[in-house]
Amino acid sequence: MDKIKMVTPLVEMDGDEMTRILWQIIKEELLLPFIDLKTEYYDLGLEHRNETDDQVTTDSAEATKKYGVAVKCATITPNAARMTEYHLKEMWKSPNGTIRSILDGTVFRAPIVVKGIEPCVKNWEEPITIARHAYGDIYKNVEMKIPGAGKAELVFTAADGTVTREVIHEFKGEGILQGVHNTDASIESFAKACFNYALDTKQDLWFGAKDTISKKYDHNFKDIFQEIYEKEYKEKFEAAGIEYFYSLIDDIVARVMKAKGGFIWACKNYDGDVMSDMVSSAFGSLAMMTSVLVSPTGVYEYEAAHGTVQRHYYKHLKGEETSTNSVATIFAWTGALRKRGELDGTQELVSFADKLERATLSTIEEGKMTKDLALITTLKGVTVLNSEDFIKAVRKTYETI
Ligand code: NAD
């Protein structure tokens, strides 16, 4: 059988620990036998990031800008323990943070829905994709503990020296104070990424904020979304048969709980942080969440939403068997290959991605799965497979469907 040919390479970002092991097996078992795989390879494993003074992360993001589609393995974000473990020269920044800021991207996270892993919310039949604005608000805050009585003010000094001030509170005793900001440029990028992704995936877009209470700050989010929608997207949305819908965040939360799924929920930074964990755990498992970073110019980086599964890696190093779930990493590859196929007009690549996803889901639906899913499945009499055997079982299904 002839292997599927690729026109443009994918940017391949290798990673760390257990997911690095899975990465290799996925390539050997599920990709290389069927595709003449063209990738531009960047090793984002922590050792290599340290050797290159993290230059490799920047290079991989620049390559993503050039080619348009990347697939990324989970990577370690160093902390104090990792400094010693890997003899690091510096506490390198999170690769995801670096890549996100170079691409100015928005992260869309969606659960992989499969029969046998039922969401806690019984009416959720289709995935709910969360788009989190990843700039500003409390994540770039300035805080103070107020020691006693006094006046707190908001002061803005314009470039021309004009000063605007507003009293925040006259403290009579101890208290707390916080300053937060956002920029129109960042909100605009976020809005555009959301509108583009909604069109791309043909899903409605919901956005919620608290504009009734926050009449300038949150209202600004609402206004920017609305203006951009009217100006640039309304007609495209109507043609695609999808909707943009704004409401108060509390109303949105209530509607989400009653909805069937199948839409994108755009969230301000804090809401996205909290709600994405709620949605992923209610859908069953962190190991079944995909994640894609989309830039406002239409550059895509696909990955699994989970980390490097450190605990399993240490077991693996001791020669013990692991049963690590590779589904989200497989879907990172299929997402990237499908997008590459769509951009290059290579239908075989798109069909390959569809079929590999079907094979992965069928394998689980037939009762073959890793331990994390076996613990939560509603299917009876399932077979728990180790990390490698699950991927081999997917290959077998792929070859028979
Ligand atoms: P983790 O996602 O690796 O694990 C969290 C928990 O979920 C663990 O109990 C783990 O056993 C379980 N889990 C996650 N994925 C699983 C899978 N595929 N199969 C089975 N069980 C799974 O997060 P962590 O333990 O907090 O972090 C480990 C490392 O990953 C850290 O160094 C962190 O910096 C990194 N990390 C990277 C990314 C990324 O690259 N996108 C995201 C999160 C964490």
Side-chain angles (χ1 to χ4, degrees):
M1 191 189 67
D2 277 352
K3 288 192 195 180
I4 299 165
K5 297 264 179 301
M6 290 178 65
V7 178
T8 315
L10 276 181
V11 176
E12 176 184 351
M13 304 171 177
D14 208 343
D16 287 300
E17 301 195 310
M18 201 58 212
T19 39
R20 188 179 178 100
I21 310 278
L22 298 178
W23 196 257
Q24 201 52 41
I25 310 174
I26 290 169
K27 280 173 70 177
E28 277 163 20
E29 289 290 332
L30 302 178
L31 305 176
L32 294 171
F34 310 105
I35 307 176
D36 220 344
L37 194 65
K38 252 192 184 177
T39 71
E40 196 163 296
Y41 179 84
Y42 292 86
D43 183 359
L44 266 55
L46 186 50
E47 278 165 18
H48 193 239
R49 272 183 277 150
N50 193 47
E51 278 162 25
T52 63
D53 293 340
D54 208 23
Q55 184 60 37
V56 65
T57 307
T58 306
D59 292 347
S60 71
E62 292 298 340
T64 307
K65 264 190 182 166
K66 176 172 160 197
Y67 291 110
V69 188
V71 57
K72 181 180 170 291
C73 179
T75 45
I76 294 169
T77 298
N79 55 15
R82 301 298 198 167
M83 293 288 289
T84 340
E85 186 183 355
Y86 285 84
H87 310 289
L88 300 181
K89 297 187 232 173
E90 259 183 57
M91 201 185 284
W92 307 111
K93 286 192 195 147
S94 144
N96 285 46
T98 304
I99 296 165
R100 198 164 57 214
S101 71
I102 292 174
L103 299 181
D104 182 23
T106 295
V107 175
F108 297 83
R109 268 178 159 209
I112 298 159
V113 176
V114 60
K115 273 193 220 101
I117 311 296
E118 307 303 334
C120 306
V121 182
K122 61 181 186 315
N123 45 286
W124 287 358
E125 290 166 21
E126 288 172 39
I128 294 171
T129 302
I130 299 249
R132 174 180 170 193
H133 183 213
Y135 178 81
D137 302 351
I138 60 161
Y139 302 85
K140 286 241 182 277
N141 66 357
V142 180
E143 303 183 309
M144 262 185 215
K145 264 179 99 76
I146 301 298
K151 181 164 68 169
E153 285 180 291
L154 210 51
V155 180
F156 172 70
T157 313
D160 69 0
T162 320
V163 174
T164 320
R165 21 177 26 111
E166 191 96 41
V167 175
I168 299 171
H169 189 65
E170 303 262 7
F171 283 92
K172 298 204 169 41
E174 289 177 31
I176 41 180
L177 188 64
Q178 161 166 256
V180 296
H181 81 279
N182 223 299
T183 68
D184 284 9
S186 174
I187 302 168
E188 281 163 20
S189 288
F190 174 53
K192 283 184 185 170
C194 291
F195 289 128
N196 285 338
Y197 196 68
L199 282 171
D200 205 31
T201 57
K202 299 245 176 324
Q203 297 184 88
D204 289 346
L205 176 67
W206 297 13
F207 177 46
K210 197 73 181 172
D211 62 293
T212 46
I213 298 294
S214 173
K215 291 189 168 58
K216 292 198 175 126
Y217 198 103
D218 275 25
H219 216 290
N220 195 48
F221 277 84
K222 177 184 172 180
D223 290 345
I224 288 177
F225 265 73
Q226 196 61 37
E227 261 167 49
I228 293 181
Y229 175 68
E230 301 282 341
K231 224 189 277 166
E232 297 177 38
Y233 292 95
K234 194 166 189 276
E235 282 169 22
K236 292 181 198 159
F237 266 52
E238 281 166 5
I242 57 172
E243 258 187 25
Y244 166 61
F245 167 62
Y246 174 86
S247 191
L248 274 179
I249 182 73
D250 27 338
D251 177 50
I252 292 277
V253 169
R255 285 171 189 258
V256 165
M257 296 314 288
K258 298 245 166 76
K260 188 168 112 201
F263 56 89
I264 299 166
W265 180 7
C267 292
K268 286 180 62 207
N269 209 348
Y270 175 81
D271 298 339
D273 189 353
V274 178
M275 293 305 172
S276 64
D277 278 11
M278 185 195 74
V279 168
S280 68
S281 72
F283 266 106
S285 163
L286 183 60
M288 297 290 280
M289 290 291 284
T290 59
S291 175
V292 53
L293 176 74
V294 184
S295 84
T297 55
V299 167
Y300 294 78
E301 182 243 307
Y302 292 84
E303 64 174 321
H306 60 76
T308 60
V309 208
Q310 183 180 12
R311 203 169 43 82
H312 292 204
Y313 181 59
Y314 291 158
K315 275 177 80 176
H316 171 82
L317 288 182
K318 280 196 256 164
E320 290 172 27
E321 190 171 74
T322 59
S323 180
T324 314
N325 190 334
S326 48
V327 173
T329 308
I330 296 172
F331 273 62
W333 275 101
T334 52
L337 289 167
R338 181 184 297 106
K339 180 50 74 183
R340 197 61 274 168
E342 284 168 9
L343 293 175
D344 289 346
T346 32
Q347 183 52 44
E348 301 93 323
L349 210 51
V350 176
S351 306
F352 170 80
D354 292 344
K355 187 172 163 189
L356 183 52
E357 288 183 1
R358 273 204 314 280
T360 308
L361 300 180
S362 300
T363 307
I364 297 170
E365 285 166 4
E366 283 163 14
K368 290 174 221 150
M369 59 190 74
T370 46
K371 193 173 163 195
D372 56 310
L373 295 186
L375 291 171
I376 56 170
T377 185
T378 50
L379 300 176
K380 299 278 173 273
V382 300
T383 312
V384 177
L385 298 176
N386 67 35
S387 308
E388 188 165 1
D389 286 349
F390 174 75
I391 296 171
K392 286 187 168 157
V394 171
R395 174 164 178 181
K396 223 175 184 174
T397 317
Y398 179 89
E399 285 170 333
T400 51
I401 59 172

